[in-house]
Amino acid sequence: MKEYSAFDIGGSFIKYGIVTENGDLRQQNKMKTPDSLGVLIQRITEVVHRHPDSAGIAVSAPGAVSDEGVIYGISALRYLHGPNIKHRLEEKTGLPVFIENDGNCAGAAEVWKGTAREKKDVLTVVIGTGIGGTVIKEGRTHKGANLHGGEFGFMLLGNPDTGRLESWSQLAATRALTRYAEAEKGIEPDTLSGEEVFEMADEGDPACVKALDRFYRFLALGLYNLQYIYDPELILLGGGVSAREELVQRINEKLDGLMREAPVGTIRPTLDVCHFRQHANLLGAVYRFIQNKPAD
């Protein structure tokens, strides 16, 4: 059975492990993210050399990752952007390398071994301080002409409070939730965390209850639009809020209301939560490697 060395490059840590061609994760560990590309390449090479049976290297990375191995866009690790990291790793290790965007890796893991297994047309929507995700059409990741497929957070919606257009991230990410709750409570910005807003709403705090109601409505609006843009079989929700047991139920309640308000739409999104969390990018990177490698 073939085994692959998998790496998930994050702003603070690099997770790594051995993933089999059947999707079993072994020997996972992590190390601090280096301050330079040269040290990053060296650290990855050292890990790979400890596993001489690896059939290849699969890397999950932030940014707009091209098939050629160049990472465009911006991220917390500026040194990743510009050099051809795929070629550098291949030269250092002598192994084939595949690099993919971290959000796309998370979506691929769900299709391979997670909630979306055996589905062909799926969207993943990852809700954090911003909103990102993945488009999977016919079982394959759709990156788009500018490598921005799945950047759902840039979608524009009308904000009834201001009368202005704002991005979905500005209206429905966890930072939007905390900002609105802070304004309702009349307290300083950056006082509350998303987790605190949920906890206070559970305890009946009126401002936080109102903020959550608004949060779920804007999530439902965006998901309704995505359903009619892509017409997926399934939309998976990820990020820290996906651990909330009531998440899907509350969004579905808002979708019910939207479909009563605008009865022209008769197809409602089918929602679920992502199965994988901390190891999704390692598994998904290997699955994308397998999908893209030449036939033996």
Side-chain angles (χ1 to χ4, degrees):
M1 182 185 301
K2 289 183 178 179
E3 296 181 343
Y4 300 88
S5 295
F7 297 85
D8 176 21
I9 301 173
S12 301
F13 292 96
I14 299 173
K15 298 174 185 175
Y16 60 92
I18 299 297
V19 179
T20 71
E21 60 185 347
N22 290 336
D24 296 323
L25 174 62
R26 302 173 180 172
Q27 304 177 39
Q28 70 266 26
N29 208 331
K30 68 178 181 179
M31 57 184 165
K32 193 176 185 304
T33 302
D35 295 328
S36 70
L37 180 60
V39 178
L40 173 72
I41 298 294
Q42 184 59 38
R43 295 285 185 271
I44 290 176
T45 301
E46 290 169 357
V47 171
V48 170
H49 285 167
R50 294 202 291 269
H51 303 283
D53 294 331
S54 291
I57 302 169
V59 180
S60 163
V65 183
S66 70
D67 293 340
E68 293 75 27
V70 177
I71 301 176
Y72 300 98
I74 57 174
S75 74
L77 297 174
R78 295 184 179 181
Y79 62 74
L80 291 178
H81 303 279
N84 193 311
I85 297 172
K86 169 182 163 68
H87 289 173
R88 291 198 182 189
L89 281 172
E90 288 177 338
E91 289 172 359
K92 287 285 289 185
T93 64
L95 291 173
V97 174
F98 182 82
I99 304 177
E100 178 61 286
N101 165 266
D102 46 11
N104 288 343
C105 288
E110 294 298 326
V111 171
W112 191 23
K113 295 290 181 180
T115 307
R117 190 171 184 175
E118 299 182 357
K119 302 288 186 185
K120 291 293 184 183
D121 294 333
V122 178
L123 302 182
T124 63
V125 176
V126 180
I127 305 158
T129 53
I131 297 177
T134 317
V135 179
I136 297 170
K137 295 297 290 180
E138 296 298 324
R140 301 190 71 85
T141 302
H142 173 75
K143 292 188 175 185
N146 299 291
L147 304 177
H148 276 59
E151 294 290 353
F152 306 129
F154 289 102
M155 177 170 51
L156 295 177
L157 298 173
N159 183 346
D161 298 328
T162 63
R164 296 195 302 265
L165 289 175
E166 296 185 27
S167 73
W168 197 26
S169 286
Q170 289 175 300
L171 293 168
T174 55
R175 186 65 195 93
L177 170 65
T178 58
R179 191 167 57 241
Y180 191 78
E182 288 159 353
E184 283 293 307
K185 292 179 72 64
I187 60 178
E188 291 294 320
D190 302 320
T191 302
L192 297 174
S193 68
E195 185 176 354
E196 287 172 329
V197 175
F198 277 103
E199 290 174 353
M200 292 168 72
D202 289 341
E203 294 168 358
D205 181 276
C208 292
V209 168
K210 185 176 180 181
L212 270 180
D213 188 71
R214 179 181 185 273
F215 172 72
Y216 287 126
R217 177 174 170 82
F218 277 119
L219 279 178
L221 276 169
L223 293 168
Y224 177 92
N225 291 339
L226 290 179
Q227 180 64 45
Y228 276 89
I229 293 167
Y230 293 101
D231 196 23
E233 300 170 79
L234 180 66
I235 299 178
L236 291 179
L237 306 175
V241 298
S242 66
R244 302 287 303 186
E245 292 182 3
E246 75 277 11
L247 178 69
V248 171
Q249 177 187 339
R250 290 293 304 274
I251 296 174
N252 276 330
E253 289 170 358
K254 293 302 181 184
L255 284 169
D256 290 339
L258 289 176
M259 297 183 78
R260 287 193 297 269
E261 291 177 46
V264 292
T266 58
I267 301 171
R268 64 176 298 127
T270 299
L271 307 178
D272 206 338
V273 295
C274 292
H275 174 73
F276 293 111
R277 286 183 171 82
Q278 70 269 30
H279 301 314
N281 292 357
L282 295 175
L283 295 173
V286 169
Y287 184 52
R288 293 287 288 129
F289 183 110
I290 293 171
Q291 283 184 309
N292 284 272
K293 72 177 182 177
D296 294 332

